[in-house]
């Protein structure tokens, strides 16, 4: 068992040589942390945790030292000193280099293994944290203590939620279920709740266990797929729950030795899909037993009463088990080795029943007996050897002849005689002779089965180590070596097997079967005992050769020893390359003609002969490099002398040091199937095979990652090019956009200037229009006043003239007329004053309304400015029309009053007034036509640019229609009132005969219908046209006058009331537009 003492080191290797699967009890390494000094002591490990890959291990001791053990890289590293004991660890965070550690001060810290810096410090617990559970995404973690469980966000390291319980209940453990967003909480009252992670709402609660059960849950475990939940406590029973059905599916009873369960851990398997079947149960006797939960079979166990386990953790990949021992050390187990031990037959019974001392003595006796037997069997005495040979010669002469007979009708003795005579076999028949001498079986089926297994993993990249120019030769070499490796695993691990096989591959490259069998025959017979000390050179063979060299040339051996040149320098290079480096092709063929024709020991003798024949240059060498160069390169040496010297050594070497005594006779390959070749330390080869396989897998993984890195790099380059192209395109687009924006800004500035000029022009036009309307109205009013003054003057002159003419006749009438004139003058002035006041009031109200409307329009948003301008123009137009209609109505009222007052006075100037009225009507008509044209042009421009305000226009048109309807109604009302007034005046005329010209006035009004709709009418009656009936009594005239004045006042009052009513209805029907205030809400 490998042991690693961390001591005061902060980094270093975990093991110097990783044990194989056959390690004792599956323990790969035992890790301790001892402190040497005046008082030597061992620092106890407390907790251990694997990362998500299972190849790194995190361990913390009671002094706060946190170590990371890289199992693949065989390195450990001290990543943190917290100076206080750790109570829990977690190493499966989303950021692979970070880990969580719970400390004795009830806090949880996050550190980085690479920078060794503190990432975050989380506080909030009032007692020690017993467990840390990390979500499958690695973003969230739950820390559990006896009184609370807290959920943390590992991106911000902020606490999200906190689970509090009553002190009487207590929390056992809270953890995430794998492969789900469910949190499982286990309490001390055996209640188990499942919570939804996102909302933290309770999903379900497991029902109460079997009635009468005294099992109090203490420890828990869940399979990797989150389906099976196991609970245990102070009992030898385990409860298995199915979390999908929320039912207790099985109760497992552990052996009677188990009285309480301290820890539960599922052992993952690569092929179970997360539904783990092997459960590790750590009991009170500090032994962790692994059972199969379906068959309830005990598979294996770890720990013992002497070496008890405190806690344990399994790697997610199912390869390792890390356990903290009771003595404070840390054991790392190989699951593969444990399962292999579990599959072995049970140990002999005597280990359990016999006395230890007795067993030890018997074992010692057995060991001694075996040792003596093995030493006596191969080392036979000289006499016995000779005696055996004599026995064979005397008794079995026919058997020797049979052995010398070779396939193809050849005889070995005759071939040896031919070889001694000519020194070599004919080149034309050499291959045939070799096949006969080696007695190749030509097992086609067996060889095909080896070839069908494909290229062995050890020789996949042989071209990198041996770059051969000929692809055919390389392919034949690869196939031959692969067949040898499939035949016996030792050849896949032997580094010199390509050098040994290459000469034969080059000779027999056209016949791969013969090539393989020749190499296999050479290995079986001429390379005997080569692999017993694998991976080291065959020390036993080299020792035999050194003994022979010492016997025949002691001086040369002393010279080699003097310069520390061992047999691994002067003999092993010749053996492992089969002389292919130091001989030419013809020399090599001649040498192997002799090797194949003699005993396998001849091969060793020819190596010694080559060294002895080279003694002259070797005695002149005094550097180790010179010796190494000599035995790896061709030398000026006669090969025939070497061959003769080898035969001399075969005959002159004593039997006690002769290699023939240690080597077996030639044994050909068996027919049908090749023999089993297992003469090597199997455990070393198996370990190297595993290591090679692991290295191959690592290399494949590295190549895959490198390929992936290349692909990512290519993609990154492609993305970079795309990004650069995109950025260039965006720059071009931005430049184009900037140019367009500048052009738009310039156009907008020009448009704004044009709009400003247009607005200025509109304002000027509007001001001019208002000034023109105001001037026209004032001029018209002045004209009316002048006309009325002139008419009054003429009437006064006429009245004065007539009064002077009739003064004598009608003095009393003149006085009455003068009085009437004065009354009319006062009434006229009063009416003019009222008219001016009403007109000023109306004008002031309209101006105020226009100003108010203008202020509201100015306060509107710039987006609806154009729309409100249209509305303002329409409103202004409607106001102008309303003012004109009101002025018309007022003028009509004035005209009516004037006609009623001056019906008998105004006759003469009717034609002139009509002409003037026609001119004014024409002027007003032209004004309206211009306004209509301007409005039409504005509407056309608005329709082109503001299509979205159609609805508003429709609303404004409806308002205009309503205003027009109101004007029509008001006009109709005034006309009706005028009609009533005229009818009453006509009635008065019929009654008194005083207003005889009223019919003519009505007829003239009917004939001038169109023109007089726009121009206020005045009476056509002159005071000079008085008939003879005017001589009625003054009492009747005064009474009629009083009635007429009363009716006039009533009519004016009714007109004012109607006007106020219409104004209030219009305001109610079309209230001013108001905008609600906008308020931003978060």
């Amino acid at each position: 068992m490998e042991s690693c003492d961390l001591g005061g080191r902060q980094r270093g290797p975990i093991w110097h040589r990783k044990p194989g699967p056959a390690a004792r009890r599956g323990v790969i390494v035992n890790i301790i942390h001892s402190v040497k000094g005046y008082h030597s002591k061992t620092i106890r490990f407390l907790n251990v945790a694997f990362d998500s890959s299972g190849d790194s291990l995190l361990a913390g001791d009671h002094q706060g030292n946190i170590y990371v053990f890289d199992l693949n890289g065989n390195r450990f590293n001290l990543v943190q000193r917290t100076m206080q004991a750790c109570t829990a660890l977690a190493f499966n965070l989303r950021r692979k280099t970070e880990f969580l550690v719970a400390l004795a001060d009830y806090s949880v810290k996050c550190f980085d293994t690479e920078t060794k810096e503190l990432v975050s410090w989380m506080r909030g617990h009032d007692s020690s944290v017993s467990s840390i559970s990390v979500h499958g995404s690695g973003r969230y973690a739950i820390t559990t203590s006896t009184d609370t469980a807290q959920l943390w966000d590992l991106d911000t390291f902020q606490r999200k939620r906190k689970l509090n319980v009553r002190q009487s209940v207590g929390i056992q453990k809270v953890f995430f279920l794998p492969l789900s967003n469910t949190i499982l909480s286990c309490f001390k009252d055996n209640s188990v709740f499942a919570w939804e992670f996102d909302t933290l709402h309770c999903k379900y609660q497991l029902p109460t266990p079997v009635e009468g059960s005294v099992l109090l849950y203490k420890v828990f475990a869940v399979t990797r797929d989150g389906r099976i939940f196991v609970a245990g406590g102070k009992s030898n029973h385990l409860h298995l729950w199915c979390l999908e059905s929320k039912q207790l599916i099985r109760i497992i009873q552990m052996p009677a030795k188990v009285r309480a369960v301290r820890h539960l851990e599922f052992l993952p398997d690569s092929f179970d899909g997360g539904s783990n079947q092997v459960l590790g149960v750590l009991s009170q006797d500090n032994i962790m037993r692994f059972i199969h939960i379906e068959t309830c079979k005990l598979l294996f166990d770890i720990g013992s009463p002497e070496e008890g386990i405190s806690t344990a953790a399994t790697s997610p990949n199912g390869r390792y088990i890390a356990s903290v021992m009771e003595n404070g050390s840390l054991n790392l187990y190989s699951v593969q080795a444990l399962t292999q031990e579990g599959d072995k037959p049970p140990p002999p019974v005597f280990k359990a029943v016999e006395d230890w001392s007795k067993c030890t003595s018997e074992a010692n006796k057995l060991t001694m007996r075996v040792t003596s037997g093995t030493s006596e069997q191969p080392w036979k005495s000289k006499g016995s050897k000779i005696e055996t040979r004599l026995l064979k010669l005397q008794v079995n002469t026919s058997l020797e002849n049979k052995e010398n007979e070779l396939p193809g009708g050849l005889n070995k003795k005759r071939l040896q005689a031919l070889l001694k005579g000519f020194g070599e076999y004919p080149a034309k028949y050499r291959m045939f002779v070799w096949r006969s001498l080696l007695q190749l079986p030509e097992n086609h089926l067996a060889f095909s089965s080896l070839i069908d297994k494909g290229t062995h993993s050890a020789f996949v990249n042989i071209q990198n180590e041996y770059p051969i120019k000929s692809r055919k030769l390389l392919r034949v070499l690869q196939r031959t070596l692969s067949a040898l490796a499939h035949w016996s695993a030792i050849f896949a691990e032997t580094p010199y097997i390509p050098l040994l096989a290459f000469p034969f591959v080059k000779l027999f490259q056209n016949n791969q079967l013969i090539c393989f069998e020749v190499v296999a025959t050479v290995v079986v017979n001429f390379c005997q005992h080569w692999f017993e000390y694998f991976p080291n050179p065959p020390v036993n063979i080299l020792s035999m050769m050194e003994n022979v060299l010492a016997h025949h040339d002691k001086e040369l051996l002393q010279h080699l020893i003097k310069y520390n040149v061992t047999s691994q320098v002067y003999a092993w290079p010749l053996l492992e390359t089969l002389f292919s480096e130091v001989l030419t092709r013809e020399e090599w063929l001649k040498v192997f003609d002799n090797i194949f024709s003699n005993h396998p020991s001849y091969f060793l003798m020819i190596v010694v002969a080559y060294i002895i024949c080279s003694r002259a240059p070797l005695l002149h060498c005094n550097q180790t490099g010179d010796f190494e160069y000599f035995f790896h390169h061709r030398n000026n040496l006669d090969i025939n002398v070497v061959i003769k010297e080898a035969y001399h050594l075969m005959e002159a070497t004593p039997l006690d040091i002769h290699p023939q005594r240690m080597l077996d006779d030639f044994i050909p390959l068996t027919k049908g199937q090749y023999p089993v070749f297992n003469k090597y330390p199997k455990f070393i080869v198996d370990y190297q095979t595993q290591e090679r396989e692991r290295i191959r897998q690592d290399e494949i993984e590295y190549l895959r990652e490198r390929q992936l890195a290349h692909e990512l790099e290519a993609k990154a380059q492609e993305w970079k090019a795309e990004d650069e192209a995109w950025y260039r395109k965006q720059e071009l687009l931005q430049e184009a956009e900037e140019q367009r924006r500048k052009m738009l800004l310039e156009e907008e500035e020009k448009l704004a200037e044009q709009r400003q000029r247009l607005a200025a022009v509109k304002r000027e036009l509007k001001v001019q229009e208002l000034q023109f309307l105001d001037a026209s109205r004032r001029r018209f009013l002045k004209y009316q006043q002048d006309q009325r003054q002139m008419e009054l003057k003429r009437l006064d002159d006429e009245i004065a003239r007539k009064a002077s003419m009739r003064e004598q006749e009608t003095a009393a009438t003149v006085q009455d007329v003068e009085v009437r004139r004065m009354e009319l003058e006062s009434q006229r002035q009063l009416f003019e004053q009222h008219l001016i006041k009403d007109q000023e009031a109306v004008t002031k109200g309209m101006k105020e309304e226009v100003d108010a409307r203008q202020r509201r329009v100015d306060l509107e948003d710039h987006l609806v400015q154009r729309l409100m301008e249209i509305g303002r123009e329409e409103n202004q137009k409607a106001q102008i029309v309303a003012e004109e209609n009101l002025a018309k109505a007022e003028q009509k009222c004035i005209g009516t009053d004037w006609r009623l007052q001056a019906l008998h006075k105004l006759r003469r100037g009717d034609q002139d007034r009509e002409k003037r009225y026609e001119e004014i009507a024409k002027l007003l008509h032209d004004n309206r036509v211009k306004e209509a044209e301007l409005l039409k042009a504005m509407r056309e421009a608005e329709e082109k640019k503001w299509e979205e305000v159609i609805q508003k226009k429709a609303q404004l048109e409806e308002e205009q229609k309503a205003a027009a309807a109101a004007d029509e109604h008001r006009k109709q009302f005034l006309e009706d009132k005028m009609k009533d007034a005229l009818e009453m005046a006509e009635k008065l005329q019929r009654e008194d005969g005083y207003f005889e010209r009223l019919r003519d006035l009505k007829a003239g009004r009917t004939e001038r219908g169109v023109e007089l709709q726009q121009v206020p009418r005045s009476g056509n009656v002159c005071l000079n046209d008085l008939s003879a009936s005017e001589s009625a009594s003054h009492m009747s005239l005064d009474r009629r006058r009083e009635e007429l004045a009363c009716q006039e006042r009533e009519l004016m009052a009714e007109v004012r009331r109607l006007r106020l009513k219409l104004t209030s209805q219009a305001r109610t029907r079309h209230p001013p537009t108001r905008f609600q205030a906008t308020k931003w809400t978060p």
Side-chain angles (χ1 to χ4, degrees):
M1 177 179 62
E2 185 81 13
S3 180
C4 175
D5 188 358
L6 304 181
R9 297 179 297 167
Q10 295 187 1
R11 62 184 60 86
I14 305 174
W15 51 73
H16 298 284
R17 183 173 181 180
K18 186 176 180 180
R24 185 181 69 86
R25 300 283 298 170
V27 179
I28 298 177
V29 64
N30 174 253
I31 302 171
I32 60 175
H33 185 191
S34 63
V35 178
K36 296 182 180 180
Y38 184 75
H39 294 289
S40 299
K41 62 179 180 178
T42 300
I43 302 176
R44 298 172 55 85
F45 285 100
L46 297 179
N47 288 282
V48 64
F50 281 95
D51 66 347
S52 56
S53 65
D55 295 328
S56 293
L57 180 68
L58 192 72
D61 57 27
H62 74 276
Q63 288 190 355
N65 300 314
I66 309 297
Y67 290 90
V68 171
F69 298 91
D70 185 3
L71 303 182
N72 281 342
N74 186 24
R75 302 291 297 176
F76 75 87
N77 189 15
L78 176 64
V79 295
Q80 197 55 237
R81 295 180 186 270
T82 61
M83 306 308 293
Q84 52 184 328
C86 66
T87 59
L89 291 172
F91 198 22
N92 53 344
L93 278 62
R94 183 170 64 176
R95 292 176 287 273
K96 303 303 181 183
T97 59
E98 295 181 0
F99 66 91
L100 296 176
V101 54
L103 302 175
D105 62 352
Y106 312 151
S107 66
V108 179
K109 293 184 179 180
C110 180
F111 294 99
D112 194 294
T113 59
E114 292 184 353
T115 62
K116 300 183 180 180
E117 294 180 355
L118 176 65
V119 179
S120 179
W121 192 350
M122 296 173 284
R123 296 179 178 179
H125 285 278
D126 297 329
S127 59
S128 62
V129 177
S130 58
S131 67
I132 301 176
S133 176
V134 181
H135 189 262
S137 63
R139 182 179 177 183
Y140 302 98
I142 295 178
T143 56
T144 307
S145 60
T146 56
D147 56 349
T148 183
Q150 299 184 11
L151 176 63
W152 303 88
D153 187 343
L154 297 183
D155 286 342
T156 61
F157 294 100
Q158 298 293 326
R159 184 175 63 190
K160 297 188 64 178
R161 291 295 180 89
K162 182 178 181 181
L163 176 63
N164 293 319
V165 296
R166 297 192 305 271
Q167 294 182 355
S168 59
V169 178
I171 301 176
Q172 291 285 9
K173 191 176 183 180
V174 180
F175 55 93
F176 286 104
L177 283 183
L179 304 179
S180 69
N181 283 334
T182 304
I183 300 175
L184 214 61
S185 60
C186 308
F187 300 95
K188 292 183 178 180
D189 59 354
N190 277 15
S191 59
V192 179
F193 290 87
W195 311 84
E196 182 65 35
F197 169 65
D198 298 328
T199 61
L200 292 179
H201 291 164
C202 183
K203 295 176 64 176
Y204 58 84
Q205 178 186 3
L206 294 183
T208 306
V210 180
E211 296 182 359
S213 175
V214 296
L215 175 58
L216 294 178
Y217 293 163
K218 295 290 185 181
V219 289
F220 312 91
V222 181
T223 57
R224 300 286 174 176
D225 58 2
R227 296 181 179 179
I228 302 299
F229 170 70
V230 182
K234 292 185 178 181
S235 173
N236 63 345
H237 288 180
L238 299 176
H239 287 187
L240 267 69
W241 294 86
C242 178
L243 295 181
E244 292 181 344
S245 61
K246 290 85 177 176
Q247 297 294 329
L248 182 65
I249 58 175
R250 186 177 294 109
I251 298 178
I252 299 177
Q253 183 177 3
M254 296 296 293
K257 296 180 181 179
V258 177
R259 298 190 303 274
V261 178
R262 294 172 50 192
H263 186 70
L264 292 173
E265 192 83 22
F266 274 101
L267 182 62
D269 192 347
S270 303
F271 304 101
D272 58 5
S275 58
N276 311 131
Q277 301 295 319
V278 180
L279 175 65
V281 182
L282 178 62
S283 57
Q284 87 290 340
D285 57 358
N286 300 329
I287 298 176
M288 194 167 190
R289 299 170 175 86
F290 287 84
I291 63 172
H292 196 284
I293 60 175
E294 292 294 335
T295 61
C296 298
K297 178 184 177 182
L298 179 62
L299 302 178
F300 58 89
D301 56 27
I302 58 176
S304 64
E306 294 79 14
E307 298 179 356
I309 296 176
S310 175
T311 184
T314 59
S315 62
N317 54 19
R319 296 180 182 177
Y320 307 104
I321 300 174
S323 65
V324 178
M325 311 304 290
E326 286 292 329
N327 58 10
S329 64
L330 183 66
N331 273 5
L332 185 65
Y333 295 88
S334 170
V335 176
Q336 180 182 2
L338 292 172
T339 53
Q340 288 179 358
E341 285 189 2
D343 295 337
K344 291 180 180 179
V349 183
F350 73 89
K351 289 187 178 181
V353 298
E354 292 190 5
D355 185 65
W356 175 253
S357 59
K358 185 177 179 180
C359 292
T360 305
S361 61
E362 290 183 0
N364 291 335
K365 291 179 181 180
L366 182 61
T367 305
M368 291 173 63
R369 190 183 310 154
V370 172
T371 303
S372 61
T374 53
S375 61
E376 289 176 0
Q377 184 176 357
W379 291 96
K380 298 180 181 179
S381 63
K382 183 177 179 180
S384 61
K385 182 69 177 178
I386 296 173
E387 189 175 352
T388 304
R389 286 189 176 182
L390 291 175
L391 183 62
K392 289 181 179 179
L393 290 174
Q394 294 175 1
V395 179
N396 261 338
T397 307
S398 60
L399 181 60
E400 182 182 359
N401 294 331
K402 186 177 181 181
E403 290 177 353
N404 290 327
E405 295 295 330
L406 298 176
L410 299 179
N411 186 277
K412 189 174 183 179
K413 291 294 185 181
R414 294 178 181 178
L415 290 175
Q416 288 176 350
L418 180 65
L419 183 62
K420 287 183 179 181
F422 296 93
E424 59 180 339
Y425 293 122
K428 183 177 180 181
Y429 302 103
R430 176 176 281 121
M431 298 300 108
F432 171 73
V433 172
W434 281 13
R435 290 169 61 180
S436 300
L437 288 172
L438 299 177
Q439 304 178 29
L440 302 181
E442 298 185 11
N443 298 327
H444 292 277
L445 295 178
F447 179 75
S448 299
S449 65
L450 294 175
I451 292 297
D452 292 339
K453 292 182 180 180
T455 304
H456 197 274
S457 60
F459 304 108
V460 172
N461 299 318
I462 192 175
Q463 67 276 4
N464 298 332
E465 187 175 359
Y466 300 100
I468 300 176
K469 186 175 181 180
S470 174
R471 290 185 175 272
K472 177 183 177 182
L473 189 61
L474 177 64
R475 186 167 57 253
V476 174
L477 176 64
Q478 190 177 44
R479 289 181 179 178
T480 304
L481 295 178
S482 298
L484 289 170
H486 291 308
W487 175 41
S488 180
I490 183 63
F491 301 121
E493 307 300 326
T494 305
Y496 55 87
I497 198 67
L499 301 175
L500 187 146
F502 181 75
F504 300 104
V505 170
K506 197 168 184 180
L507 285 176
F508 301 97
Q509 57 181 316
N510 295 324
N511 194 335
Q512 299 181 28
L513 171 63
I514 300 301
C515 176
F516 169 78
E517 292 186 350
V518 168
V519 175
T521 303
V522 170
V523 169
V524 170
N525 292 279
F526 299 94
C527 299
Q528 297 181 34
H529 308 292
W530 278 29
F531 308 100
E532 293 178 357
Y533 293 89
F534 181 83
N536 300 316
V539 180
N540 49 354
I541 301 297
L542 297 178
S543 298
M544 287 189 284
M545 298 171 64
E546 189 173 356
N547 293 332
V548 174
L549 180 62
H551 182 269
H552 293 282
D553 197 341
K554 191 172 184 179
E555 180 184 0
L556 178 60
L557 179 62
Q558 291 296 331
H559 177 75
L560 296 175
I561 294 173
K562 177 180 178 182
Y563 294 101
N564 296 324
V565 178
T566 63
S567 57
Q568 296 185 15
V569 176
Y570 62 81
W572 179 238
L574 302 176
L575 290 176
E576 66 179 356
T577 59
L578 301 182
F579 292 92
S580 60
E581 289 183 345
V582 297
L583 299 179
T584 63
R585 176 186 173 88
E586 300 300 327
E587 292 173 346
W588 188 87
L589 293 174
K590 186 181 294 186
V591 167
F592 271 87
D593 285 343
N594 291 273
I595 291 174
F596 289 158
S597 301
N598 290 280
H599 190 270
S601 59
Y602 181 80
F603 180 38
L604 305 182
M605 290 300 184
I606 203 168
V607 173
V608 177
Y610 183 88
I611 298 171
I612 293 174
C613 293
S614 305
R615 69 186 311 273
L618 290 176
L619 291 174
H620 288 85
C621 295
N622 53 11
Q623 299 292 332
T624 305
D626 297 337
F627 291 102
E628 292 177 354
Y629 181 86
F630 183 87
F631 292 104
H632 283 280
H633 294 80
R634 294 177 183 175
N635 302 292
N636 188 13
L637 192 65
D638 188 0
I639 196 63
N640 295 320
V641 175
V642 174
I643 294 173
K644 290 180 180 179
E645 181 63 24
Y647 279 111
H648 170 72
L649 295 177
M650 285 287 292
E651 295 175 356
T653 302
L655 290 179
D656 56 343
I657 61 173
H658 201 290
Q660 188 175 359
R661 182 168 173 269
M662 293 290 295
L663 301 181
D664 297 331
D665 295 334
F666 179 86
I667 301 175
L669 299 178
T670 57
K671 290 186 175 294
Q673 292 292 334
Y674 296 115
V676 177
F677 188 83
N678 56 359
K679 298 178 181 180
Y680 57 90
K682 188 173 183 303
F683 70 96
I684 295 179
V685 175
D686 293 343
Y687 174 75
Q688 288 198 352
T689 302
Q690 292 178 2
E691 286 297 309
R692 183 183 295 277
E693 181 66 21
R694 184 182 63 80
I695 294 172
R696 188 181 69 84
Q697 294 295 335
D698 293 343
E699 186 178 3
I700 293 174
E701 183 66 18
Y702 165 75
L703 293 175
R704 187 185 65 80
E705 291 178 357
R706 188 176 67 179
Q707 180 67 22
L708 184 61
H710 289 333
E711 293 176 358
L712 291 176
E713 184 178 1
K715 288 183 179 179
Q717 294 294 334
E718 182 179 355
W719 292 342
K720 184 178 179 181
E722 292 178 358
D723 290 342
E724 292 178 354
W726 184 82
Y727 282 120
R728 288 196 299 270
K729 186 177 180 181
Q730 291 300 317
E731 291 176 357
L732 295 176
L733 290 176
Q734 288 179 359
E735 294 177 356
E737 184 180 358
E738 191 67 23
Q739 294 178 358
R740 300 295 188 279
R741 187 179 292 109
K742 290 181 180 178
M743 295 172 62
L744 287 176
L745 289 175
E746 294 175 357
E747 293 296 329
E748 287 179 357
E749 291 176 356
K750 293 180 181 178
L751 183 60
E753 293 177 356
Q754 292 178 0
R755 287 179 178 176
Q756 291 178 358
R757 290 196 296 269
L758 181 60
V761 172
K762 286 182 179 180
R763 284 195 299 271
E764 293 177 357
L765 290 176
K766 186 61 66 178
V767 171
Q768 291 178 2
E769 181 182 358
L770 293 176
Q771 291 176 355
F772 177 77
L773 291 176
D774 187 66
S776 298
R777 188 180 294 109
R778 290 184 179 183
R779 187 174 60 183
F780 178 73
L781 292 175
K782 185 177 181 182
Y783 175 78
Q784 283 184 341
Q785 291 178 359
D786 294 338
Q787 287 295 107
R788 288 175 184 173
Q789 289 177 1
M790 291 174 65
E791 288 174 0
L792 289 174
K793 187 176 181 181
R794 284 195 301 271
L795 288 173
D796 292 338
D797 294 338
E798 187 69 22
I799 291 170
R801 187 178 60 79
K802 288 182 179 182
S804 62
M805 290 174 62
R806 298 176 184 176
E807 183 177 1
Q808 298 175 358
E809 299 176 353
T810 56
T813 305
V814 171
Q815 293 177 357
D816 294 336
V817 170
E818 185 66 18
V819 172
R820 178 61 180 168
R821 186 186 65 78
M822 294 174 65
E823 290 178 355
L824 289 174
E825 184 69 17
S826 62
Q827 289 179 1
R828 183 182 65 78
Q829 292 177 358
L830 181 62
F831 179 72
E832 286 178 354
Q833 291 177 0
H834 287 297
L835 179 61
I836 291 170
K837 289 181 181 180
D838 294 338
Q839 189 170 2
E840 289 178 355
V842 171
T843 304
K844 184 178 181 180
M846 293 303 294
K847 286 183 178 180
E848 291 177 354
E849 185 176 356
V850 169
D851 294 339
R853 183 71 60 106
Q854 185 67 27
R855 286 193 297 271
R856 288 194 301 270
V857 170
D858 292 339
L859 294 175
E860 290 178 356
D861 190 80
H862 66 279
L863 295 178
V864 293
Q865 183 177 1
R866 186 58 184 169
L867 176 63
M868 298 312 297
E869 286 179 0
I870 297 172
R872 186 176 67 250
E873 292 172 0
E874 295 296 330
N875 290 334
Q876 290 177 358
K877 181 180 177 183
Q879 290 175 5
I880 293 170
V881 173
E883 290 177 358
E884 291 177 356
N885 292 333
L886 183 60
K888 292 175 185 178
E890 291 177 354
Q891 190 64 34
K892 288 179 183 179
C893 294
I894 294 170
T896 304
D897 294 338
W898 183 256
R899 282 192 301 273
L900 292 174
Q901 294 177 4
L903 186 61
H904 299 288
K905 296 180 181 181
L906 305 174
R907 176 61 179 168
R908 191 174 296 171
D910 186 35
Q911 296 296 329
D912 295 334
R913 285 195 301 274
E914 286 181 359
K915 289 180 181 180
R916 293 187 190 99
Y917 292 160
E918 287 176 359
E919 290 177 0
I920 293 171
K922 185 177 181 182
L923 182 60
L924 293 174
H925 180 69
D926 295 340
N927 215 0
R928 289 193 184 90
V929 169
K930 291 180 180 179
E931 290 178 357
E933 291 176 355
L934 180 60
L935 181 61
K936 184 177 179 181
M938 292 174 66
R939 284 180 178 176
E940 289 178 355
E942 290 167 2
E943 287 176 358
K944 292 179 181 179
K945 297 182 180 180
W946 302 92
E947 294 179 0
E948 65 272 10
V949 298
I950 295 175
Q951 184 176 1
K952 294 291 183 178
K953 286 185 179 181
Q955 183 177 358
L956 292 174
E957 289 176 0
E958 291 178 0
E959 292 179 358
Q960 291 175 1
K961 290 180 181 179
D967 293 340
E968 282 298 325
H969 186 269
R970 186 167 58 252
K971 289 178 183 179
Q972 186 65 32
F973 175 77
L974 293 175
E975 289 178 357
D976 293 341
K977 291 298 181 180
M978 289 176 65
K979 185 177 180 181
D980 294 340
L982 293 174
E983 288 178 354
M984 183 170 291
E986 187 178 4
K987 183 178 180 181
L988 292 174
Q989 184 186 15
R990 284 196 305 268
E991 290 179 354
D992 298 336
Y994 186 75
F995 301 101
E996 60 185 0
R997 295 293 303 277
L998 189 61
R999 292 187 183 89
D1000 298 335
L1001 177 63
K1002 184 177 181 181
R1005 173 179 169 275
T1006 305
E1007 292 173 356
R1008 298 187 302 272
V1010 177
E1011 292 81 4
L1012 296 180
Q1013 288 180 359
Q1014 306 295 333
V1015 183
R1017 300 185 181 92
S1018 63
N1020 295 326
V1021 180
C1022 184
L1023 293 178
N1024 296 327
D1025 298 334
L1026 298 176
S1027 62
S1029 61
E1030 291 179 354
S1031 61
S1033 62
H1034 294 282
M1035 297 297 293
S1036 177
L1037 182 59
D1038 293 335
R1039 185 174 64 251
R1040 296 300 181 185
R1041 287 174 180 174
E1042 291 176 359
E1043 291 178 357
L1044 183 59
C1046 182
Q1047 289 178 359
E1048 287 177 0
R1049 286 193 296 271
E1050 292 177 357
L1051 181 60
M1052 292 301 295
E1054 182 67 23
V1055 168
R1056 291 189 185 94
R1057 185 183 63 79
L1058 182 60
R1059 187 167 56 191
L1060 293 173
K1061 183 178 179 181
L1062 291 174
T1063 304
S1064 62
Q1065 289 179 356
R1067 289 178 179 176
T1068 305
R1069 186 182 302 108
H1070 304 288
T1073 306
R1074 295 181 181 178
F1075 294 90
Q1076 298 180 356
T1078 303
K1079 183 177 182 182
W1080 294 94
T1081 58

